[in-house]
Amino acid sequence: LRQTVETVRWDLLLAVAIVYLLMSALFESFLYPFVIMFSVPLAALGGFVGLQVLNLSVEAQHYLDVLTMLGFVILIGTVVNNAILIVHQSLNHMRLEGMPPREAIRDSVRLRLRPIFMSVSTSVFGMLPLVLFPGAGSELYRGLGSVVVGGLIVSTIFTLVLVPALFSLVLDARQALGRRLGAVAADG
């Protein structure tokens, strides 16, 4: 069991690295995936909150076991989708329509709000029977379901607020750095 838990921990780190590198290749930048990956710790926080709420509401305690840890691996691949929608739509607005960054981010959140809520609600409502209804095997999968449900809910709320703010700050810092490097190059 210890060896399995250790393997799943490495799988978790490998999943984060693969998702980051894949997004870096797709966005052709190492900066934008960093903004997107900011939603992963928020999902982990939500996963732990979901597990704690489950432990408060049922008689059997659920701990961080192998299946529960697999719930965190599932979250990594799931929660980045919402942030990808916001960042990708913002970049499209800026590149194709010439919108200023803050306006592009604001418009992308407005346009992608419904698809984000639709995907999260289908995932959450699809997992709720796993968490709420007792039955054969429910003790085994309740922890996994609570981690995914809690992680999706918390991550979505924070993704809609913090990811656009962080993306705006990153774009402002990148623009300021570009101006500063341009001024240094002009002086040299």
Side-chain angles (χ1 to χ4, degrees), residues 113-186:
L113 190 62
R114 188 189 309 172
I116 288 171
F117 279 141
M118 288 172 60
S119 76
V120 168
S121 62
T122 56
S123 298
V124 166
F125 288 124
M127 282 285 194
L128 276 179
L130 192 64
V131 176
L132 298 177
F133 299 123
S138 67
E139 301 85 20
L140 193 60
Y141 293 108
R142 265 192 176 158
L144 180 136
S146 66
V147 164
V148 172
V149 168
L152 282 173
I153 291 171
V154 169
S155 166
T156 301
I157 292 167
F158 282 118
T159 296
L160 291 172
V161 176
L162 294 178
V163 168
L166 181 63
F167 189 46
S168 178
L169 289 172
V170 165
L171 290 175
D172 289 347
R174 186 176 185 188
Q175 188 177 31
L177 183 64
R179 282 194 305 258
R180 181 168 292 188
L181 290 176
V184 168

